[in-house]
Amino acid sequence: MRPFAHRTACTTAGQAGGLALALLAAAACSPSEQAAEAPAPPPSAGLPELEMTLAPGGLDTPPHIDVTLEISGLEVAAGEAFLQSPAVFAGVDAVPYGEDGVAGLTVTDAGGAVPLTRADDEPDPSNFLYWRHWQAGRDLSGPVTVSYRAPIDLVIPELGSGPPFDLRAGEGVVSGAGNTFLVVPETPQPFRVSIAWDLGEMANGSIGVSSFGRGEVVTPGPASRLVTAYYMAGPVGRYPAEGEAHGFSAYWVGDPPFDPQSVMPWAEEVYDAQIEFFGIEDPDPYVFFARGNPYPGGGGAGLINSFMLSYPEDTADLDGISVTIAHEMSHKWVGGVSGRPGATSWFSEGANVFYTRRVPLQAGLMTPEQYIADVNDHAVRYYTNAINDLPNEDIPGLFWSDTRVRTLPYDRGSMYFAGVHARVREASGGERGMDDLFFELDARRQAGETVTAETWADIVAAELGEEARERFEAMMAGALQVPPSSAFGPCFERVESESEVFELGFDAASLASPERIVSGLVDGSRAQAAGLRNGDHIVEPVALEAVQSDAGRTLALAVQRGEETTTVEYRPRGETVTVYTWKRVDGVSDAQCPY
């Protein structure tokens, strides 16, 4: 099915890719997590100037990026908001300018040096997002120059998870998200923003690229656009080859464990299929960044017109990488709904999982086998999640402290939307489906309406009756979602099996603190049987997503007890539960699978 209206691509902060990422776009563009398309940036003629120069250096010594901002037309009085930078975003620490051991900010104007006063927001206990702010000690006069040095240190996420935002140097390449190192003017005022690179300390053949494009670029809009972007500089791999003109481009570090020359053209085909499906006219250029992780774990995260793919350097799951690519690009078009940050992920992640596989299958870019494998991966993880009845309102406060909570919006939400699709198809005799409801909500969003969970409830109830509203409210309260057997089309039917729930065997919050001290050990658990004890110090951060998703996988913990360090390894599973998956129906051709 096709949308009933075309729309242009978001050209300001865009929709961040995922639950936590929407917060930065919201902070930059609007006071909510809604992914409404913001107005196009104004023409640059006549706007005040904001010129940012990035100069990576010291790659053989302490690596860093020197940042210089040249600002004209900015009026700031003494004591008023002047500069800002995230302090923590989605559990990832930003450079703490002004603290011990880190270079501070230098600001000058026509009157010379400008004194600064820093004030930080109260820390957000959920580790989503809070900011640092600087005020000028006197009125600013004339053009202003802001300069600072961002040190680059390999920071292994304390929680063993988090989006690939961190500023990193490796293989002669510097990469990271602006939300981890940029300080910019704290004003919604639009500028003629320009980005330049000084690559004098980089290897021959190096290039600089950002979410706005390669090399020197101009991107009119608020300064916050810079914070919502990715940056990469060095001798990177690239697609397409030099001289080719594409709206889609890709850049990567080193030699990935997949073939970029086949994966990147496929990703561009998926991007084109998404543009066609979602009815996008005049899309902005889109940039795909990729880099390996020197620590366990991987995934992807999107910012403005771009996303960063991260992967374990020894990864062999190429199908999983393909799904991640499609998922992060799809976030740009699926968007979200307004509401409490984090509590709207049932839509931003659940609907996105639904369309991540739906669009490539319809375009012939995903096989039915790959499609249903992804369905079943989410299904198994959902039905073996011991807290799959957690109410939606409880998700934000626990999101970064428990992997079971982080995966729940993806799994429960996608099962819910698959059920909606099947019920609409049945009620309409196959004439309508989830697409029609999605595009109705999207049309309201494009028209400037604030769309919320209640908006969706009204739409689905108008389609299927008040029972559908009750079913939605039950899902939000934690009711188990079991889509009809027909939910994924005539090629597949639902089957039941048994599997063991994911059970860590101790309090998951133990892994969310920097100390990682084991507490809440469960009597009779496999963790206890393997030798784990309350008070043990888990030496290294732990990425649990892959273990949670594979019932046969073991978990190895490096544990220090007193002066002794040992490894405790076990399979973190508990009671047996019923699992619903889908299998291929004999005699149904591939052509009938898109549904």
Side-chain angles (χ1 to χ4, degrees), residues 100-186:
D100 292 346
V102 178
L105 302 172
T106 300
V107 179
T108 59
D109 65 358
V114 178
L116 299 174
T117 301
R118 199 183 93 184
D120 295 356
D121 291 344
E122 286 294 321
D124 175 6
S126 69
N127 252 359
F128 271 116
L129 174 64
Y130 57 97
W131 295 78
R132 296 188 176 97
H133 309 269
W134 288 264
Q135 294 81 40
R138 60 172 174 78
D139 295 353
L140 297 183
S141 174
V144 178
T145 299
V146 181
S147 60
Y148 50 95
R149 170 168 288 187
I152 304 175
D153 298 309
L154 176 61
V155 178
I156 299 176
E158 288 182 353
L159 308 183
S161 64
F165 288 163
D166 56 302
L167 191 59
R168 191 184 305 169
E171 301 192 59
V173 177
V174 170
S175 61
N179 56 46
T180 60
F181 74 98
L182 288 183
V183 179
V184 300
E186 185 174 356

Side-chain angles (χ1 to χ4, degrees), residues 48-54 67-72 144 146 191-196 226:
E49 300 277 343
L50 171 56
E51 301 177 4
M52 180 176 74
T53 301
L54 301 175
V67 184
T68 303
L69 305 179
E70 301 284 350
I71 309 167
S72 65
V144 178
V146 181
F191 292 89
R192 183 183 183 275
V193 178
S194 60
I195 301 171
L226 298 172

